[in-house]
Amino acid sequence: MTGCDLLGDASDQHAAFRAETATALVALAERENEGCFLRSLARAIEKQPM
């Protein structure tokens, strides 16, 4: 489990974290290029409600 997974799980359980988590995940996506990290990032973003 990576930090992205933890952020995704936390925001999934606590609505108060969702906006900040989504912003942080998008910022990370702009500068990361490692495959396993990006997969974790995608899973975390998927957990964000629309």
Side-chain angles (χ1 to χ4, degrees):
M1 184 171 268
T2 69
C4 291
D5 295 319
L6 294 173
L7 281 172
D9 289 344
S11 67
D12 190 38
Q13 299 294 320
H14 304 284
F17 297 137
R18 289 182 183 148
E20 291 177 49
T21 299
T23 300
L25 292 171
V26 169
L28 286 171
E30 291 175 349
R31 62 178 190 254
E32 291 293 337
N33 60 10
E34 185 179 327
C36 64
F37 181 85
L38 292 173
R39 281 188 292 280
S40 172
L41 189 62
R43 284 191 303 269
I45 290 172
E46 285 178 338
K47 290 185 176 190
Q48 302 303 307
M50 297 278 176

